């Protein structure tokens, strides 16, 4: 019998001596990566989770590379501590296959790749750079060139030159070539135009098969934080690392950036690329050769015009250690080339790709970025809401005004070009007009039946003009069930009809009027025809989902607030497992990481129901801070004995709002530095702030601490936080002898689900006390949410769908119907409660970010308190992270006890010199 070493991985790249929980985390991660499949690892924020992910994963990658390069000799006496010896039976199939396929190239690769101490090689040779060079231009340009080439063969002398460019090319749906995807066309074209040598092709193939790590998180700031942590390790200089992001973040063309919104920037950038290829085609036509070198093509965007600058950009990246988004933008500006396309072109040769969720989890994004997940490692951080984030990426929405816009322009286009269009084009354009008209008719409301919604209607009733439908019912009711939407979408994609119609529309409505006037006299930017068309195309794409995969939400009575009546149709995706399986099937290992990932079972059922619970790799560790550094308390009543009940119907009571104010007036006297108060919504925060202002409570608080408020606009948050922090920092610079803590510091009013609750680090003085006001349940009047509740209630129980008691309760956007649905559900209600507690946990988890940090957490609502003997399984306190739950003071006799404990807590921590 073959001897197997009792081997333990080591993590020399970890920049400090790891705490035991950090070591355990890395070890578990390493083992799960060996094993493959799906793993979930949770470690509270502030425990060095990111660094543990980096060192665990990249050490594993380093060891695999050594093995592939033949540095690890099989045989018991030759292994170093960090070199895994796989028993041949233990070696995963994928790895054996992977190694075999690499063997014949190993010798050649060894000569090509510069080796580093950890066994990781950066591909710095010219060949690999050349390989990067044309990744974008090849794909995008060829696509447009193919299109424009066709246009050139469709001359029509009866058209004026100006109109001719808007005539859509001939299209035949039965032509299988025409129906094949644009991707395959681009592929063929790419090969014929390619000037790459055999070596380069081989290198490209090698890059495709190269074991890669994809790290994704939700926000750009989280990705930058990841790079900052990566730079603390040797991996930052030993690996090829590239960050990807949106055009809105990366664009350096000031003219385009000025447009502001992401969709406008995307559109304008693509429009510029289109102009580039049009110019290229014209040049080709003039040359008569049709083989013009790509590198001589002029770009519509000046930031892509010079291929030498793009090459310089790539070369500089390959010579530096890992760059974050800011660095890439800076470099792009310095070199004078687009960092968005520059970073995209480096994907193939990268070892580690750092990117937002959306780019990895959406199939179309993966394809357009050229991401190959086969045999790769996918790490998804901040995965606490992954199931909901994943499905919401696939929602779509089209408004009444967008439909009107498309319909108007399609009709005008058809009128103008009808006699010149071939039968294929005529048929599809007419079909598009019919579908658009049917959708408009659905949203149309007769003047007589229009109900002005009541803004302050506490019941949430809205005239029952919102309702949901199954996809098939929707299609039947509009009489469009006989339309082949797959072919229609192919037509939209292949024919370039969106650009033709919107381009013609813009040309004929000159001067273009992008600004509308609100009733208030304010200007607002109107939606472009192209983005309206895109919204319609997204909606059509949603209609090809299976009946049970999502629901249609029809909202007739949704005023836009812009002086026109609105209404919209929305598709809500309900199932995420199919989308997620595309990632899992390809990758060798998928890791979900987060501060808290509970409830695990709900995530498993929604994202990978095929995996038996026993086969799910799960690791959880506690916090590194000692129990005396945290004081979580449930607060049931205020200083004057008033019970705190912030349920929807009670929270506006002036007695409760006043009592909350008194509570704050008291705690500002004992809590040093910063206090962050979380409210359930901006509206509620505004209401409370107004009442405290008139009652003089704000003045009382301000005698002790300055007050800051989270602004609604995300872009304004940074400046408020800066001032809040400066206020606290100034305090720590004071002479300690003069520093009377109870008379200084600041209070920040924030909102659950707002920017501060989701991604801001409230360490040390920034958050010495977190006050959570009430339980931030989402509104039961939210139709989409109620559809998700119903879906989750029926997970794994398809037979009972129609017979369920609540099935006939179609959500109609009012609170009562929503509550009725919740009362009828068990699992669905659990999901609803989990949503609330996940939001609470995110907010209170902002405090305590390192081992010497300390903070009090006040959960202000009688529903948090409990007599442990009466606890039901779904009590809110049970859904707190374990490290908080274990220390929770779940009931206090009165506010006096809360005050005394707070006083004691801060005294002890001050004495300990923290
Ligand atoms: S190519 Fe780059 S710089 Fe130019 S518009 Fe597009 S994103 Fe902006």
């Amino acid at each position: 019998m073959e001897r197997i070493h009792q081997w333990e991985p080591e993590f020399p790249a970890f920049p400090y001596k790891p705490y035991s929980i950090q070591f355990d985390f890395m070890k578990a991660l390493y083992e799960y990566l060996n094993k493959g499949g799906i793993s979930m690892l949770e470690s509270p924020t502030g425990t060095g989770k990111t660094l543990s992910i980096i060192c665990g994963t990249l050490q594993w990658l380093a060891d695999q590379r050594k093995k592939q390069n033949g540095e690890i000799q099989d045989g018991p006496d030759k292994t170093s501590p960090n070199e895994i010896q796989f028993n041949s039976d233990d070696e995963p199939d994928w790895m054996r296959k992977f190694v075999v396929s690499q063997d014949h190239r190993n010798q050649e690769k060894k000569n090509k790749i510069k080796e580093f101490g950890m066994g990781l090689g950066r591909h710095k040779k010219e060949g690999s750079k050349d390989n990067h060079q044309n990744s974008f231009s090849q794909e995008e340009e060829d696509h447009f060139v193919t299109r424009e080439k066709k246009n050139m063969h469709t001359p029509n002398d009866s058209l004026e030159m100006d109109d001719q460019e808007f005539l859509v090319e001939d299209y035949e749906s039965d032509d299988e070539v025409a129906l094949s995807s644009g991707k395959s066309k681009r592929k063929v074209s790419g090969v014929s135009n390619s000037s790459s040598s055999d070596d380069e092709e081989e290198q490209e193939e090698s890059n495709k098969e190269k074991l890669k790590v994809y790290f994704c998180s939700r926000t750009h700031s989280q990705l930058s934080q990841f790079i900052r942590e990566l730079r603390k390790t040797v991996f930052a200089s030993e690996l090829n690392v590239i960050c990807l992001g949106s055009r809105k973040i990366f664009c350096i063309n000031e003219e385009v950036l000025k447009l502001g919104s992401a969709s406008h920037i995307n559109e304008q950038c693509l429009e510029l690329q289109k102009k580039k290829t049009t110019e290229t085609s014209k040049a080709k036509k003039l040359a008569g050769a049709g083989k013009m070198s790509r590198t001589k093509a002029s770009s519509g965007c000046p930031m892509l015009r010079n291929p030498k600058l793009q090459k310089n950009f790539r070369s500089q990246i390959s010579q530096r250690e890992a760059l974050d988004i800011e660095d890439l933008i800076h470099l792009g500006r310095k070199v004078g080339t687009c960092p968005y396309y520059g970073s995209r072109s480096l994907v193939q040769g990268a070892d580690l790709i750092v990117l937002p969720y959306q780019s990895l989890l959406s199939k179309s994004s993966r394809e357009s970025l050229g991401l190959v997940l086969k045999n790769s490692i996918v790490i998804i951080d901040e995965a606490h809401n992954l199931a909901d984030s994943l499905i919401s990426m696939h929602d779509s929405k089209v408004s009444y005004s967008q439909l009107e816009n498309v319909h108007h322009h399609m009709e005008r286009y058809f009128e103008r070009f009808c006699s010149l269009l071939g039968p294929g084009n005529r048929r599809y354009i007419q079909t598009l007009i019919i579908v658009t008209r049917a959708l408009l008719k659905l949203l149309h409301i007769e003047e007589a039946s229009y109900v002005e919604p009541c803004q302050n209607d506490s019941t949430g009733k809205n005239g029952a003009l919102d309702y949901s439908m199954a996809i098939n019912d929707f299609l039947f009711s509009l009489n469009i069930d006989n339309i082949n939407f797959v072919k229609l979408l192919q037509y939209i994609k292949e024919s370039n009809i969106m650009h033709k119609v919107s381009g013609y529309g813009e040309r004929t409505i000159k001067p273009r009027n992008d600004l509308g006037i609100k009733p208030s006299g304010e200007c607002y930017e109107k939606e472009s025809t192209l983005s309206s068309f895109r919204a319609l195309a997204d909606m059509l794409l949603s209609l090809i989902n299976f009946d049970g995969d999502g629901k249609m939400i029809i909202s007739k009575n949704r005023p836009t607030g812009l002086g026109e009546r609105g209404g919209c149709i929305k598709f809500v995706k309900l199932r995420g497992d199919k989308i997620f399986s595309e990632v899992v099937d390809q990758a060798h290992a998928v890791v979900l990481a987060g501060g808290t990932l509970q409830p695990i079972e709900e995530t498993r059922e929604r994202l990978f129901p095929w995996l038996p619970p026993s086969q799910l790799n799960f690791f959880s560790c506690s916090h590194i801070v000692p129990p005396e550094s945290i004081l979580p308390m449930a607060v049931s009543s205020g200083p004057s004995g008033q019970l705190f009940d912030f349920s929807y119907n009670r929270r506006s009571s002036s007695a409760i709002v006043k009592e909350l104010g008194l509570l704050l007036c008291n705690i500002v006297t004992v809590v040093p530095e910063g206090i962050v108060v979380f409210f359930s919504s901006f509206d509620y925060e505004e209401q409370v702030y107004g009442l405290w202002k008139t009652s003089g409570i704000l003045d009382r608080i301000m005698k002790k601490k300055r007050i800051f408020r989270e602004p609604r606009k995300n872009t304004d948050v940074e400046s408020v936080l800066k001032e809040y922090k400066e206020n606290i920092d100034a305090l720590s610079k004071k002479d300690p002898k003069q520093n009377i803590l109870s008379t200084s510091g600041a209070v920040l009013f924030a909102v659950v689900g707002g920017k501060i609750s989701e991604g801001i680090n409230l360490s040390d003085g920034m958050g010495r006390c977190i006050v959570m006001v009430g339980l931030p349940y989402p509104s039961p009047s939210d139709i989409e949410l109620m559809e998700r509740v119903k879906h989750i209630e029926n997970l794994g129980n398809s037979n009972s769908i129609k017979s369920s008691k609540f099935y006939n309760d179609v959500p109609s956007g009012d609170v009562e119907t929503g509550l009725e649905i919740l009362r009828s559900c068990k699992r669905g209600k659990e999901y609803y409660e989990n949503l609330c507690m996940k939001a609470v946990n995110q907010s209170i988890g902002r405090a305590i970010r390192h081992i010497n940090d300390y903070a009090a957490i006040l959960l202000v609502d009688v529903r948090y308190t409990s007599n442990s003997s009466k606890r039901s399984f779904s009590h809110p306190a049970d859904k707190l992270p374990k490290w908080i739950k274990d220390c929770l003071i779940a009931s206090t006799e009165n506010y006096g006890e809360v005050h005394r404990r707070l006083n004691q807590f801060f005294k002890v921590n001050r004495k300990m010199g923290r």
Side-chain angles (χ1 to χ4, degrees), residues 539-776:
M539 180 53 63
L540 301 184
L541 187 65
S542 301
L543 294 177
I544 62 176
N545 273 283
F546 285 111
D547 199 34
D549 287 359
K551 277 282 172 80
M552 308 303 300
I553 310 282
I554 296 97
S555 303
K556 290 193 176 185
N557 211 356
R558 189 68 48 86
T560 62
L562 302 174
E564 50 182 314
R565 277 217 317 270
C568 65
I569 300 169
K570 196 166 178 188
F571 170 74
V572 185
K573 185 93 175 168
L574 296 174
R575 286 188 64 175
D577 54 331
K578 288 184 196 166
I579 312 164
F580 199 62
S581 71
E582 289 166 3
V583 174
V584 175
D585 290 350
Q586 290 279 311
H588 161 61
V590 177
V591 176
L592 312 190
T596 169
L597 295 174
Q598 300 294 349
I600 303 291
E601 184 53 14
E602 182 195 298
T603 307
R604 188 195 66 80
E605 283 188 312
R606 294 181 68 193
L607 289 183
F608 30 93
W610 63 87
L611 188 77
S614 58
Q615 284 179 30
L616 175 65
N617 304 317
F618 178 66
F619 173 86
S620 178
C621 64
S622 60
H623 212 294
I624 45 176
V625 293
E628 57 272 20
S629 297
I630 166 176
L631 179 66
M633 272 192 287
V635 182
S636 56
S637 58
S640 61
Q642 167 73 46
L643 212 62
F644 284 129
D645 175 1
F646 290 95
S647 54
Y648 190 77
N649 292 330
R650 301 269 305 131
R651 66 180 188 176
S652 297
S653 134
S654 56
I656 289 180
V657 174
K658 190 176 161 211
E659 191 75 4
L660 181 66
L662 290 180
L663 172 84
L664 213 54
C665 289
N666 275 275
I667 64 172
V668 291
T669 63
V670 282
V671 177
E673 302 171 280
I675 299 174
V676 183
V677 186
F678 281 105
F679 294 90
S680 53
S681 67
F682 280 106
D683 288 347
Y684 186 55
E685 187 268 350
E686 233 164 59
Q687 191 187 342
V688 172
Y689 188 88
L691 283 168
W692 285 354
K693 197 172 177 185
T694 47
S695 63
I697 284 177
L698 284 187
D699 291 335
R700 287 177 62 185
I701 295 171
M702 282 191 286
K703 278 184 188 155
K704 300 285 180 188
K705 290 184 190 285
R706 262 189 80 181
I707 292 176
F708 294 86
R709 298 172 73 193
E710 176 171 5
R712 283 183 188 250
K713 262 174 88 180
N714 275 354
T715 44
D716 296 340
V717 170
E718 206 178 316
S719 60
V720 173
L721 274 176
K722 191 168 169 269
E723 221 186 316
Y724 171 72
K725 187 172 184 311
E726 279 168 5
N727 199 276
I728 308 238
D729 288 348
L731 185 67
S732 63
K733 284 180 196 137
K734 280 186 187 174
D735 179 354
K737 283 179 195 155
Q738 314 238 319
N739 188 3
I740 304 160
L741 290 168
S742 61
T743 57
S744 20
V747 183
L748 174 62
F749 296 161
V751 170
V752 176
K755 192 168 178 183
I756 293 174
S757 75
E758 295 276 323
I760 305 296
N761 188 347
L762 298 172
S763 62
D764 300 315
M766 293 275 281
R768 283 290 175 230
C769 179
I770 305 290
V771 180
M772 173 57 64
V773 179
L775 282 146

Side-chain angles (χ1 to χ4, degrees), residues 488-505:
L488 189 58
L489 283 160
Q490 280 288 12
Y491 173 72
I492 293 172
K493 187 177 172 186
E494 296 289 322
S495 66
N496 202 20
I497 185 74
M498 294 201 298
H499 285 94
K500 298 287 179 190
V501 173
S502 52
Y504 176 69

